[in-house]
Amino acid sequence: MDESVDRLATAASRLLESSGPHRASLQFDFDDPRRLRWTYLPGVRHGVPLAQLDRDGAKAVHGLLAATLSHHAHVQVAAIMGLEDPLGAADGRDRHAGDYWVAIHGNPADTAWSWRLGGHHVSVRTTVADGRVRPTPLFLGANPARVEHAGVVTSRPLAPEEELAFQLLAVLPERHLTHALVDRRPPDDIVTGDALLLDDLPPTAGVRLADLDREARRVADDLVAVYLDRLAAPLRRHYLDDVVPHIFGDLRFAWAGGRPSAPRAEDRPGHYYRIAGPRFLAELDNTQNGANHVHTVWRDPAADHGRDLR
């Protein structure tokens, strides 16, 4: 983990060094209560918006993203941010790809510090303490969830998170589907919203992953991994080695919405799922805008914002 901590600290220091007159608006005390706040709704955050940073500063932010996220998740974030200007043109509201705020809490040279990037449909953060890293809550959304031209999808940033869940439903036998389908009507959004901390998890309904047969268990494993794989390889080792092997069987998969029979994403009804259990919660909701507006989140209830480190 030391190498990844050093890489994060180097990237954060590079951002501070390149921030120039914005440094006072970029860096805050580690104990500032705003460190724990997060949301995926449009609006101003504390910190400095990307639109105000020069080229070196913006590249430094992406250096932090590259130190935190896997390559494909970094691409997902860039694609989601790039949707803001077309979305603003479509709905008449003032939206811009630079409306994402970056903040650093503490000093990267110290043993405890954190950084975060937040804006509409993106919340990425890491908390570092005593050489350990905690990267949750990690939220990615997209509006529109997919864009097409001439029958070809040109943009669908969160396709893996949806498609693997549909694959899991398709291979579940009827006895497991009965437990997995918890409601015919999906909620309007992820159930946990932007709650600061998760001391009370959603109900433990759903099918236990430990009860799945070999094929379904393989797909379920891939679905859990798609959230862990958002992290750069050194950071996800903690979850792959020290967390998931001990909790996987206790996780439950719950689905709300009709059984999807349409092969094409654009023809499917609104839907919601979660995978919940000790130390792991993933949620996906795609119900808004005719099931073309998706929200996903991954959380570690025991360690969000590094609460287990201090």
Side-chain angles (χ1 to χ4, degrees), residues 53-75:
L53 295 175
D54 61 17
R55 183 176 184 274
D56 288 343
K59 285 182 70 65
V61 172
H62 280 277
L64 265 170
L65 284 169
T68 303
L69 303 177
S70 62
H71 178 72
H72 81 268
H74 190 175
V75 171

Side-chain angles (χ1 to χ4, degrees), residues 72 76 160-162 164 220-231 273:
H72 81 268
Q76 285 177 303
E161 288 83 346
E162 285 195 284
L164 282 167
D221 186 70
D222 289 344
L223 183 56
V224 170
V226 84
Y227 288 92
L228 302 180
D229 287 348
R230 289 176 170 182
L231 298 179
Y273 73 79

Side-chain angles (χ1 to χ4, degrees), residues 98-246:
D99 293 338
Y100 291 85
W101 282 258
V102 61
I104 292 176
H105 286 262
N107 189 324
D110 294 339
T111 57
W113 66 279
S114 71
W115 88 278
R116 61 151 198 112
L117 178 70
H120 186 213
H121 284 157
V122 171
S123 181
V124 177
R125 63 188 55 231
T126 57
T127 303
V128 179
D130 297 323
R132 294 175 291 172
V133 179
R134 299 293 183 265
T136 59
L138 177 50
F139 179 98
L140 300 179
N143 181 19
R146 66 190 175 278
V147 178
E148 284 187 65
H149 177 69
V152 177
V153 175
T154 61
S155 172
R156 194 181 171 205
L158 297 169
E161 288 83 346
E162 285 195 284
E163 289 305 315
L164 282 167
F166 287 121
Q167 289 179 29
L168 180 54
L169 279 180
V171 298
L172 287 179
E174 189 65 30
R175 69 184 187 278
H176 289 156
L177 270 174
T178 300
H179 294 290
L181 297 174
V182 296
D183 200 325
R184 293 295 179 182
R185 181 176 179 179
D188 295 332
D189 199 354
I190 56 174
V191 174
T192 54
D194 55 5
L196 188 70
L197 297 170
L198 294 182
D199 293 319
D200 296 313
L201 284 172
T204 56
V207 61
R208 292 178 70 242
L209 301 193
D211 295 335
L212 301 181
D213 61 24
R214 184 173 182 178
E215 182 180 11
R217 177 119 180 194
R218 176 187 59 77
V219 180
D221 186 70
D222 289 344
L223 183 56
V224 170
V226 84
Y227 288 92
L228 302 180
D229 287 348
R230 289 176 170 182
L231 298 179
L235 299 187
R236 66 175 177 263
R237 291 259 46 106
H238 166 65
Y239 291 92
L240 290 173
D241 296 342
D242 303 328
V243 177
V244 172
H246 304 290

Side-chain angles (χ1 to χ4, degrees), residues 4-43:
S4 60
V5 170
D6 290 345
R7 186 180 177 200
L8 283 164
T10 298
S13 297
R14 186 174 297 119
L15 173 59
L16 289 171
E17 292 165 2
S18 64
S19 59
H22 301 296
R23 181 158 182 160
S25 301
L26 174 67
Q27 190 172 24
F28 304 86
D29 291 338
F30 184 78
D31 294 326
D32 188 316
R34 291 175 293 181
R35 180 177 69 85
L36 305 183
R37 296 177 190 167
W38 77 283
T39 185
Y40 49 89
L41 302 176

